[in-house]
Amino acid sequence: MIKYQYSKLGFYGVVMARLNILHYPNSQLRKSALPVETVDDSVRTLVADMFETMYAAPGIGLAATQVNVQKRIVIMDLSEHKNQPQVFVNPTILEREGEGEMEEGCLSVPGFSETVRRAERVRVSALDLNGEPFELEAHGLLAVCLQHEIDHLDGKLFVDYLSTLKRDRIRKKLEKQARLEARAA
């Protein structure tokens, strides 16, 4: 039996690999993810690879769509020591409450952060790595991260909450950076 419990060193029984993170304005980021039919070893391996990728980036959250996998899977670890991984398979926001603003960044929009207005509290349902359903009430940073990552699953990015001018400026800078990197390679 393979044990898929996350430790500080990684998932036991799974060889981890770093995945490529798509960058805005890549059109693949606009696709809606499909529900996971069965939480099986392939899903657990993907989750392990996503954690490896997120920690190396470094980041605090990652949606499968950001690594060009169109499945409804979100991972995050908001802990200071990166030892409290959370997995959400087929997450759905059931309730939203209040409103607040927080500065957000994104591994798919590297080098940029902006203030975004979102719900202050959310209640989410999802499956865990054993395929068991659970619900979670979240507030603060966890609520913001859940909304941010679930948006990714629906083809939406935090830049969509910005003015057209700011969004276009970010897109142009990232496109220019990609062209320069392509020439250097």
Side-chain angles (χ1 to χ4, degrees):
M1 182 171 150
I2 296 175
K3 186 176 180 185
Y4 290 97
Q5 182 173 349
Y6 196 81
S7 76
K8 201 168 186 178
L9 300 175
F11 277 88
Y12 297 113
V14 178
V15 176
M16 293 191 290
R18 288 191 190 162
L19 306 169
N20 291 322
I21 297 173
L22 300 176
H23 291 165
Y24 174 75
N26 189 308
S27 63
Q28 294 297 106
L29 291 167
R30 297 303 186 176
K31 290 186 174 181
S32 291
L34 300 172
V36 173
E37 296 295 323
T38 305
V39 179
D40 57 15
D41 286 352
S42 69
V43 169
R44 288 184 274 274
T45 299
L46 173 61
V47 166
D49 291 346
M50 288 173 64
F51 273 111
E52 175 78 5
T53 303
M54 181 189 74
Y55 287 137
I60 61 171
L62 188 67
T65 52
Q66 291 178 269
V67 293
N68 206 20
V69 176
Q70 303 307 319
K71 293 184 179 183
R72 295 192 71 80
I73 300 171
V74 164
I75 64 160
M76 57 185 60
D77 188 340
L78 308 182
S79 67
E80 183 179 341
H81 299 293
K82 303 301 176 201
N83 60 357
Q84 296 175 18
Q86 294 178 287
V87 178
F88 302 84
V89 178
N90 296 334
T92 302
I93 296 176
L94 302 172
E95 293 177 9
R96 298 174 194 261
E97 185 180 302
E99 195 173 275
E101 289 185 343
M102 191 174 283
E103 187 145 334
E104 293 185 30
C106 181
L107 295 176
S108 291
V109 189
F112 293 91
S113 62
E114 293 286 342
T115 301
V116 176
R117 182 176 301 256
R118 294 193 186 268
E120 208 167 52
R121 293 180 179 277
V122 293
R123 188 165 60 90
V124 174
S125 68
L127 301 176
D128 65 17
L129 275 182
N130 295 315
E132 296 296 322
F134 70 94
E135 286 189 13
L136 175 75
E137 290 201 26
H139 65 281
L141 181 59
L142 179 57
V144 168
C145 286
L146 282 165
Q147 292 170 87
H148 177 110
E149 300 305 338
I150 292 171
D151 272 356
H152 275 298
L153 301 180
D154 296 326
K156 190 170 185 175
L157 291 104
F158 87 95
V159 295
D160 297 335
Y161 292 91
L162 307 178
S163 69
T164 303
L165 180 65
K166 281 185 180 181
R167 188 173 46 253
D168 287 346
R169 186 186 76 223
I170 291 170
R171 181 184 47 76
K172 287 177 184 176
K173 285 183 180 181
L174 289 174
E175 287 173 338
K176 180 179 179 180
Q177 181 180 337
R179 283 192 307 273
L180 293 173
E181 289 173 2
R183 281 189 206 139

